[in-house]
């Protein structure tokens, strides 16, 4: 499907397209459902977002940037993202040995998703306002 056409759809056109492409709610062939499945998990998007900020990061640096994630969970998340094709793991057999993580081309292509999320967030949750205190809700 032509992505330029998708980007210019109105909400109503999007809804019609989604229903036409995937009339069965149990059908997993819907591209949105597939994408959401790829990003499921508490830490996946946080890891991917942090990796968009640098060419590559070591495990410890990535863990510090994310905060609150255990070694085991970060390791598991990185392995999952590597298997899905979003992250590249590069091992350096130096002394001391170390590993760096970076985004694959598929991972780099997520920048458009993060831009869209940032745009949506800025529109609906402007800086200085707490979540749930949108200006449209104030009277």
């Amino acid at each position: 499907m032509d992505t330029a056409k998708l980007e210019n759809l109105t909400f109503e056109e999007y809804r019609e397209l989604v229903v036409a492409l995937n009339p069965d709610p149990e059908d997993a062939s819907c591209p949105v459902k597939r994408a959401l499945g790829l990003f499921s998990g508490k830490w996946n998007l946080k890891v991917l977002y942090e990796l968009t900020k640098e060419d590559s990061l070591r495990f410890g640096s990535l863990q510090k940037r994310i905060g609150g994630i255990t070694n085991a969970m970060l390791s598991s998340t990185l392995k999952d993202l590597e298997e899905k094709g979003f992250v590249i793991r590069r091992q350096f057999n130096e002394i001391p040995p170390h590993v760096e993580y970076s985004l694959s081309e598929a991972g780099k292509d997520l920048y458009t998703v993060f831009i869209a999320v940032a745009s949506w967030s800025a529109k609906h949750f402007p800086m200085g306002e707490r979540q749930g205190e949108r200006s449209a809700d104030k009277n």
Side-chain angles (χ1 to χ4, degrees):
M1 180 164 289
D2 184 5
T3 56
K5 288 181 184 177
L6 287 175
E7 292 170 5
N8 295 313
L9 291 178
T10 65
F11 178 76
E12 289 75 18
E13 292 168 332
Y14 159 79
R15 183 182 292 163
E16 288 177 21
L17 180 64
V18 168
V19 170
L21 289 176
N22 193 12
D24 179 5
E26 300 300 317
D27 184 4
S29 66
C30 172
V32 174
K33 284 183 182 180
R34 282 196 323 268
L36 291 175
L38 290 171
F39 304 124
S40 65
K42 179 177 180 179
W43 301 103
N44 286 3
L45 287 174
K46 292 177 183 181
V47 169
L48 290 168
Y49 176 68
E50 288 304 324
L51 287 172
T52 66
K53 297 177 182 180
E54 301 286 339
D55 288 335
S56 65
L57 286 170
R58 290 186 180 192
F59 187 93
S61 296
L62 188 54
Q63 188 175 26
K64 285 177 190 171
R65 287 171 180 240
I66 295 169
I69 188 170
T70 65
N71 287 349
M73 184 54 69
L74 180 55
S75 180
S76 173
T77 300
L78 286 165
K79 184 177 180 181
D80 180 52
L81 292 171
E82 184 181 9
E83 289 172 358
K84 290 176 177 173
F86 292 113
V87 171
I88 297 169
R89 180 184 188 274
R90 185 168 176 211
Q91 185 167 333
F92 293 84
N93 295 322
E94 303 169 345
I95 298 180
H98 69 277
V99 175
E100 291 183 0
Y101 297 90
S102 60
L103 293 174
S104 66
E105 286 306 311
K108 289 177 184 176
D109 282 347
L110 289 171
Y111 82 93
T112 58
V113 174
F114 290 119
I115 289 171
V117 168
S119 176
W120 174 86
S121 178
K123 178 180 177 182
H124 295 285
F125 302 98
M127 291 295 293
E129 292 183 13
R130 293 189 313 237
Q131 243 180 327
E133 257 190 20
R134 298 194 339 228
S135 56
D137 295 338
K138 295 178 184 175
N139 290 326

